[in-house]
Amino acid sequence: MVRATHEVEYEQMLLSRHGLLHQKYSRREHSRLERSAYILLSRIRVQGPMSIGELSDAFGLDASTLNRQTAAAKRAGLVERIPDPDGGMARKFRITEEGERMLDDERENNTESLDRIMSDWSEEDISAFAGYLRRFNVDIERLSGRPWPRP
């Protein structure tokens, strides 16, 4: 007998293949934010300004990877470096107005894509699916020791 986790693994693989919000479902031809920038901006938005060390801890990535990602986001005008608002030594990254605008646009485009994908779903089914996804993510975060703050 096949365990249900085999089915979850298979469906998760297919989900990653689709890229979830593939351009086929999107009004735009290409995403304007790279995936790493989208996740970086989302984290900074919900948590507030963060240093490279805090970002490294939050994502479980080495500082050199975060340095590259934040440098690219800074060049694109999405984030800026500021002194630590709490008076610490490390400088922090905060989202610029352009970064906020692009994140809002990207999130709206993603939501519209999901609306099209799930157009035949009831609100109850969508809510239940969201609850299961949240539970799945929270359990991953618990095991990794890296909880993601939720708004």
Side-chain angles (χ1 to χ4, degrees):
M1 180 172 162
V2 176
R3 293 188 349 240
T5 51
H6 284 95
E7 291 180 56
V8 171
E9 184 280 331
Y10 193 80
E11 293 301 330
Q12 189 278 331
M13 178 273 301
L14 290 175
L15 182 63
S16 67
R17 176 187 69 92
H18 294 304
L20 182 59
L21 305 173
H22 190 271
Q23 63 191 19
K24 172 180 171 182
Y25 303 111
S26 175
R27 284 184 297 153
R28 281 190 262 153
E29 208 170 291
H30 299 288
S31 174
R32 293 179 53 196
L33 281 178
E34 295 215 4
R35 182 177 179 272
S36 62
Y38 182 72
I39 295 169
L40 176 75
L41 294 176
S42 294
R43 181 63 185 245
I44 293 171
R45 173 182 275 171
V46 78
Q47 189 162 340
M50 298 177 74
S51 68
I52 288 290
E54 291 168 331
L55 289 165
S56 179
D57 289 344
F59 290 106
L61 298 171
D62 59 75
S64 64
T65 299
L66 269 305
N67 275 317
R68 284 191 300 277
Q69 290 180 2
T70 55
K74 190 172 183 290
R75 280 191 306 274
L78 305 174
V79 297
E80 60 188 350
R81 289 195 86 163
I82 61 168
D84 183 345
D86 298 323
M89 296 295 289
R91 294 177 51 85
K92 296 196 174 194
F93 289 92
R94 112 175 129 202
I95 302 176
T96 63
E97 286 184 26
E98 177 66 4
E100 292 276 0
R101 186 188 65 71
M102 288 187 71
L103 181 59
D104 288 341
D105 287 351
E106 193 75 13
R107 182 150 287 140
E108 181 60 30
N109 187 59
N110 290 344
T111 301
E112 288 173 4
S113 294
L114 288 167
D115 286 339
R116 282 189 290 285
I117 293 166
M118 296 188 278
S119 64
D120 294 335
W121 292 35
S122 70
E123 279 299 311
E124 294 79 20
D125 284 348
I126 294 170
S127 291
F129 185 63
Y132 285 126
L133 282 174
R134 183 180 313 104
R135 181 178 173 186
F136 186 74
N137 280 323
V138 166
D139 284 344
I140 291 170
E141 294 160 13
R142 176 181 49 78
L143 291 172
S144 71
R146 288 194 261 304
W148 189 279
R150 286 166 171 77

